[in-house]
Amino acid sequence: MYLPAVGSPADSGGTRPGTVEIRSSRPRAMTQNPSSPSLLRLAGLPYFLIAFVARLPFAMMVVGVLTIVVTARGSLSMGGLTSAAVGIGTALIGPFLGAAADRYGQRPVLAAAAVLNSAMLGIFALVVYSTMSEAFVMLTAFAIGATAPQVSPMSRSRLVTIIDDRMPEPQRPRTTSATMSYESAADEMVFVFGPFLVGALATLISPWAPIALASALTLLFVGAFALHPTGRHVSASRRADGTAPSRASELFWPVLLVVVVGIFGVGLFFGATLTALTSFMADRDAAEQAGLLYGVMGIGSAILALGVAWLPVRFTLHARWLLFAAILVGGSVLVISASTIPAMLVALAILGVGVGPTLVTLYSLGAARSPLGRSATVMSMLGAGVVVGQAAAAAITGELAERAGTGPALLMPLIASAIVLAAAVVNRLLTPMQR
């Protein structure tokens, strides 16, 4: 049995008597050559391009499903429920795909998911335009989410493996932080561009066009991501020292679960903010512009997420979580008080400062606390936490806005931010207990 580390050497101040540091799921390189190659050189530029495009279909799925259902079936309510079914499928099955990747390697899991998900997207389009019942439409949407390839968690796990295996010890903490910054920024950019692409294709061609494109991109780019040489590296090196993975029960350590709770709060924040903002703009007869305002937060969040890599190592992951969660709470207070669009834009810009670095910090903590041989599982758990939180908050906030109005709906981002901050406090309290 070993105790989880607290993020990086900066978190614990180095090894202390009585403290056992968590081991990676990969054998660690012992070389200390300061002229070792960068991660970009080790993975290769094509890897980052493929991984970026491969996560685009997932960002298109939920909005694409909503668009095609509303158009073909003429029901906004059904469209929302169908989109939620996609999220539920991803949240329930995603962690099991991560566990399968930890056990059998990423290549077979991703290749199978790419084929199945591409097929399910095509089947869904046929089902929606047919006379089949709403229940069958919902079931097919659930299957889309259940087979969705976990590109983002797999990419994080794959890159952390390369860092641990092929980079000197002194470079690992900062390189890991920079990697998580890039990955989070890539997710932010994809989730800003994905819905925009869906809207453009649906308007210029047809509502089925985004689903068709997502199907093609899944088959081609997720397939390429699965077959990339880095996938073979992960599968080959994962048990190179003959070490068996940790017990599944270690996934339920309090210091890991508190990170899952924190990222669930971030998912709640995303869903609540977008839905409340839509209600805010609908009161001004401009609901269609809600996505543009939301983009202010998304773009700022992506830029700040990249900036986390430049923060000093002395600024520990615990301190970052506390600080940026507090900024998130402050920005949410401004959202409640905003009565004009310029005031709302200021509040959203401040929220972008808080949410991007918070997401990077949580993924960095998750990577550091992953039990031996369970990194893909942990990353999938974190990804599922965001999806579940986003779907739940969107449903709750939408119902609240419809029944009670925009004012109460604007309270939801503050509640979500408070959950993130409370988890940060609990995380800080848990840490001394393991020393």
Side-chain angles (χ1 to χ4, degrees), residues 329-344:
V329 170
S332 299
V333 172
L334 292 179
V335 166
I336 297 172
S337 61
S339 57
T340 63
I341 291 179
M344 182 61 75

Side-chain angles (χ1 to χ4, degrees), residues 100-160:
D102 281 330
R103 183 175 180 85
Y104 303 109
Q106 290 191 11
R107 277 192 163 182
V109 174
L110 282 168
V115 174
L116 290 173
N117 190 248
S118 178
M120 290 310 306
L121 285 166
I123 292 171
F124 178 79
L126 295 176
V127 168
V128 170
Y129 283 108
S130 72
T131 58
M132 292 185 182
S133 67
E134 294 183 358
F136 201 79
V137 174
M138 298 280 290
L139 182 63
T140 313
F142 177 87
I144 289 176
T147 58
Q150 302 293 302
V151 174
S152 293
M154 300 289 185
S155 180
R156 286 179 170 93
S157 176
R158 194 179 293 192
L159 293 177
V160 168

Side-chain angles (χ1 to χ4, degrees), residues 1-7 20 22 249-263 318 321 361-362 364-371 378 381-382 423-435:
M1 175 66 67
Y2 53 86
L3 295 175
V6 288
V20 183
I22 190 169
S249 61
E250 294 180 10
L251 293 169
F252 300 96
W253 274 337
V255 288
L256 184 54
L257 289 180
V258 74
V259 179
V260 176
V261 172
I263 210 162
H318 304 300
W321 188 355
T361 300
L362 291 170
S364 296
L365 279 171
R369 295 173 177 179
S370 298
V378 170
M381 287 170 59
L382 297 180
V425 173
V426 172
N427 173 73
R428 181 69 271 181
L429 294 175
L430 283 175
T431 304
M433 295 170 62
Q434 57 185 325
R435 294 179 182 173

Side-chain angles (χ1 to χ4, degrees), residues 15 19 28 31 41 98 147 158 162 183 199 243 249 278 292 300 363 376 396 401 403 425:
T15 303
T19 301
R28 294 185 180 272
T31 225
R41 185 175 172 186
T147 58
R158 194 179 293 192
I162 294 173
E183 287 287 315
T243 305
S249 61
T278 301
L292 298 177
Y363 273 115
I396 295 171
R403 291 179 177 271
V425 173

Side-chain angles (χ1 to χ4, degrees), residues 158-176:
R158 194 179 293 192
L159 293 177
V160 168
T161 298
I162 294 173
I163 292 168
D164 284 351
D165 283 354
R166 303 181 63 182
M167 299 193 76
E169 182 78 35
Q171 289 183 237
R172 291 175 193 163
R174 183 171 291 278
T175 305
T176 299

